[in-house]
Amino acid sequence: MKTFIILTELTEEGKKAIQNDPVGMKLSAQAIENRGGILVDQFALLGPWDFLTIIKAKDEKTIFRITTELDALGTVKTMTLPAMPIEEFIDDIITSV
């Protein structure tokens, strides 16, 4: 499984929604699993991004499905980044150069 970081920014609609239902802004682990991913963790942030979510998925198609459906809700804008464990980065990328 590959690791992906999703940075999320609330839209104006999302800011209103979080006031009415703060728990509803939390991504559902079951909803992510239904789309082929695994929710690893979520964090609220200070700064230009409001939330950071870590998801494991088998491939990019799976993460595209998850983030496209999330963006379609209209309450958030996302940026998705692939992530690699630092040990793997050092072993596979740095030492092979």
Side-chain angles (χ1 to χ4, degrees), residues 1-6 32-33 35-40 53-67 80-83:
M1 302 276 291
K2 297 179 180 184
T3 302
F4 296 90
I5 306 298
I6 302 173
I32 291 169
E33 286 179 20
R35 288 158 183 79
I38 297 170
L39 176 63
V40 176
T53 303
I54 303 169
I55 294 178
K56 291 206 176 269
K58 65 179 180 173
D59 56 25
E60 287 78 8
K61 287 182 183 180
T62 302
I63 205 70
F64 267 102
R65 184 179 315 109
I66 292 168
T67 56
T80 304
L81 306 165

Side-chain angles (χ1 to χ4, degrees), residues 10-20 25 74-76:
L10 292 169
T11 63
E12 287 304 316
E13 185 178 329
K15 290 174 185 176
K16 292 175 187 171
I18 201 168
Q19 294 297 319
N20 296 328
M25 291 305 296
T75 55
V76 295

Side-chain angles (χ1 to χ4, degrees), residues 46-91:
L46 295 174
W49 297 100
D50 297 306
F51 302 101
L52 179 145
T53 303
I54 303 169
I55 294 178
K56 291 206 176 269
K58 65 179 180 173
D59 56 25
E60 287 78 8
K61 287 182 183 180
T62 302
I63 205 70
F64 267 102
R65 184 179 315 109
I66 292 168
T67 56
T68 299
E69 290 182 18
L70 184 60
D71 286 341
L73 296 173
T75 55
V76 295
K77 295 177 185 176
T78 63
M79 177 189 290
T80 304
L81 306 165
M84 176 185 291
I86 194 69
E87 296 83 13
E88 186 178 332
F89 174 74
I90 292 169
D91 293 344

